[in-house]
């Protein structure tokens, strides 16, 4: 396994991994001040087929405390994190104390405490089951998103005059940036 560390710095949550006794690839995962955190990993967390790590945290919003999560996948020799995704959305509740277990099928079971903001009553235990689909996440580091060129993307052209056979590809990738915005880019080579 890979040893990971998380810490608070300048009102944000950071992550690094240990490689050969050295902490490497430090990066800020969350830019807001967070409360309690939980982290887990699984061999099939992403798309029910690929290994990944999930981080869940509590964060104050306007009138309450909500839970968010971010997912990391290891690619290109480092972790790439998704943008935060809201797990809870309550108008007047405090969602705290997350805990995570990743099942063998890759789904993440997240438990947490929920208490009404204006109540002095005890908190109740809730849970959410999350199936991580990489295409539904927005990735901070695009190097963590596989951008493979498959054999069907490769074109073959034969010029009968010169007798030369040339190969090339053209591929377009698109990412939903949220709010109706989409990032697209195209690559080609011959």
């Amino acid at each position: 396994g890979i040893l990971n560390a998380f810490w608070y710095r300048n009102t944000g949550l950071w992550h690094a991994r240990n490689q050969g006794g050295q902490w490497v690839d430090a990066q800020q995962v969350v830019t807001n001040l967070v409360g309690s955190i939980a982290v887990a990993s699984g061999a099939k967390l992403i798309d029910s087929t690929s290994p990944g790590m999930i981080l869940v945290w509590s964060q104050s919003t306007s009138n309450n405390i909500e839970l968010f999560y971010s997912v990391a996948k290891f690619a290109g020799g480092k972790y790439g994190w998704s943008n935060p995704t809201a797990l809870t959305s309550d108008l007047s509740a405090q969602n705290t104390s997350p805990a995570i277990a990743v099942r063998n099928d890759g789904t993440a079971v997240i438990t947490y405490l929920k208490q009404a903001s204006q109540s002095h009553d005890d908190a109740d235990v809730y849970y959410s089951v999350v199936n991580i689909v990489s295409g539904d996440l927005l990735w901070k580091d695009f190097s963590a998103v596989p951008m493979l060129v498959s054999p069907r993307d490769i074109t073959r052209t034969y010029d009968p005059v010169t007798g030369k056979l040339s190969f090339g590809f053209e591929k377009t990738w698109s990412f939903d940036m949220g709010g109706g915005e989409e990032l697209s880019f195209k690559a080609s080579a011959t």
Side-chain angles (χ1 to χ4, degrees), residues 89-151:
S89 179
D90 295 304
L91 294 176
S92 60
Q94 296 181 2
N95 299 285
T96 61
S97 306
I100 312 167
V102 178
R103 299 186 329 193
N104 288 339
D105 65 0
T107 55
V109 178
I110 303 165
T111 61
Y112 52 95
L113 297 178
K114 183 184 293 266
Q115 182 178 19
S117 297
Q118 304 302 321
S119 172
H120 297 289
D121 200 7
D122 62 344
D124 295 317
V125 177
Y126 279 69
Y127 74 95
S128 297
V129 178
V130 179
N131 185 17
I132 305 299
V133 179
S134 62
D136 292 345
L137 297 171
L138 301 177
W139 296 93
K140 291 180 182 182
D141 180 357
F142 292 120
S143 67
V145 179
M147 298 188 186
L148 304 175
V149 175
S150 69

Side-chain angles (χ1 to χ4, degrees), residues 22-37:
Q22 300 291 319
W23 292 104
V24 297
D25 299 331
Q27 59 183 303
Q28 191 170 15
V29 180
V30 181
T31 58
N32 298 320
L33 184 62
V34 302
S36 53
I37 67 168

Side-chain angles (χ1 to χ4, degrees), residues 149-155 168:
V149 175
S150 69
R152 69 177 173 264
D153 299 319
I154 298 173
T155 59

Side-chain angles (χ1 to χ4, degrees), residues 33-84:
L33 184 62
V34 302
S36 53
I37 67 168
V39 66
S41 61
K44 296 181 179 182
L45 178 69
I46 301 171
D47 299 321
S48 299
T49 58
S50 301
M53 184 169 30
I54 182 170
L55 170 69
V56 179
W57 67 93
S58 60
Q59 177 179 315
S60 293
T61 59
S62 57
N63 293 328
N64 52 11
I65 299 174
E66 299 295 356
L67 295 178
F68 296 85
Y69 69 88
S70 186
V71 176
K73 70 167 53 172
F74 194 74
K78 65 178 189 171
Y79 281 103
W81 287 92
S82 70
N83 285 336

